[in-house]
């Protein structure tokens, strides 16, 4: 395991004595604009997947996260020990990546009682102020070095997900003391986008589940994790929905979604954050559940699954509200399933699942056509307002 120590001598590993964990405090991971990698991160040509993340040349962010995460796994801070997951690509045009993760289906924390996309934060319910000492890996801190952009810096804690989907599965949590409900905010989205750009691994992705979109905890958080496989949403073609080309409809994917894209820092990145949060605000205000996925990807237009990763794609899926987990299904539909990554709960379903069956489960969660058209028109109108 790489030594998890920053250039300033900061240690991201827990002390040997458990009694010292709380006293150590939360280390800061401080990064600057120069560490955001907009170019040069690609999948190997003609290879749909990569070896385990630990075997690759890693960025400072990857090395810090992976070594600290591995230590917490060795110390038993997770609900189960995550080994190498059995993985297959389902036959068919979609390229679904299915993984057998029995333990997550059995051991994960029961979802909270959620009844509204706009539900208020409840300090009596489980929240991230109640986690165990040692679960926080570090605090994500960006140096204020963006010329011409004045940003309100926020504390973003990076903590383990104790029921991991995959290697390096973490949660990005804005200052938990604020008690923010699970409603996407610009600072949280910015942290998610920049986490993807800090990673030199093309398969590090970030996502968000709204309430009613299978968020299990009503306390603002995003997910981040490594998956060493291409996903269909990275290069799927799209068509523009507005004259300025800022909003696209993603096609030839498991579920049509709204695509936002940027290939550069500064004002372009901030404009994307603003557009996405205006869209999620509209959905939340209208009690429409949604899921969001951030990945390196190809520019909008006539692209393909093998297209080069030239920027960052943000895909937003409005969907039917679903409160609670459907234990009888092969998988539950949230951010990673909509993107084409299917964590499967049982060996029987893993061996028998077909692309047709997976598509049926996913499309059953989408909005009815009339409502989907109404939402599309509203988001196009919001985009037009911003351009005026």
């Amino acid at each position: 395991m790489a030594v998890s120590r920053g250039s300033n001598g900061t240690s991201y590993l827990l002390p040997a004595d458990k009694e010292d964990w709380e006293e150590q405090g939360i280390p800061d991971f401080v990064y600057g604009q120069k560490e955001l990698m907009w170019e040069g991160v690609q999948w190997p040509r003609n290879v749909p997947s990569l070896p385990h993340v630990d075997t690759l040349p890693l960025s400072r962010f990857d090395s810090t996260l992976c070594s600290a995460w591995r230590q917490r796994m060795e110390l038993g801070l997770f609900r189960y020990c995550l080994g190498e997951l059995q993985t297959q690509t389902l036959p068919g045009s979609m390229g679904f990546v299915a993984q057998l993760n029995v333990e997550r289906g059995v051991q994960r924390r029961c979802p909270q009682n959620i009844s509204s996309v706009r539900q208020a934060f409840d300090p009596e319910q489980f929240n991230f102020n109640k986690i165990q000492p040692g679960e926080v890996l570090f605090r994500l801190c960006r140096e204020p070095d963006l010329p011409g952009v004045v940003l309100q810096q926020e504390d973003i804690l990076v903590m383990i997900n104790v029921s991991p989907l995959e290697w390096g599965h973490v949660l990005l949590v804005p200052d938990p003391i604020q008690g923010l409900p699970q409603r996407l905010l610009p600072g949280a989205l910015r942290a998610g986008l920049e986490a993807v750009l800090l990673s030199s691994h093309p398969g590090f992705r970030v996502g968000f589940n709204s309430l009613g979109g299978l968020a299990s905890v009503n306390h603002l958080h995003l997910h981040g994790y490594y998956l060493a496989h291409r996903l269909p949403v990275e290069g799927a073609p799209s068509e523009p929905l507005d004259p300025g080309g800022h909003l696209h409809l993603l096609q030839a994917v498991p579920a049509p979604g709204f695509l936002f894209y940027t290939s550069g820092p500064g004002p372009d990145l901030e404009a994307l954050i603003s557009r996405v949060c205006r869209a999620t605000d509209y959905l939340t205000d209208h009690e429409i559940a949604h899921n969001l996925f951030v990945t390196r990807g190809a520019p909008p237009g006539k692209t393909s699954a093998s297209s080069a990763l030239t920027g960052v794609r943000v895909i937003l899926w409005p969907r039917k509200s679903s409160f609670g987990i459907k234990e009888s299904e092969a998988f539950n539909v949230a951010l990673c399933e909509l993107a084409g990554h299917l964590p499967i709960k049982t060996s029987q379903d893993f061996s028998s699942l077909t692309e047709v069956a997976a598509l049926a489960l996913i499309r059953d969660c989408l909005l009815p056509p009339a409502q989907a058209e109404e939402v599309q028109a509203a988001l196009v109108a919001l985009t037009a307002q911003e351009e005026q």
Side-chain angles (χ1 to χ4, degrees), residues 33 144-151 265-268 270:
Q33 169 86 357
D145 59 358
L146 280 176
V149 179
V150 179
L151 299 174
D268 285 350
E270 292 306 309

Side-chain angles (χ1 to χ4, degrees), residues 196-211:
V196 168
L197 292 166
L198 284 168
S199 175
S200 60
H201 194 297
F204 182 76
R205 282 87 171 209
V206 165
F208 172 86
N209 296 322
S210 79
L211 300 180

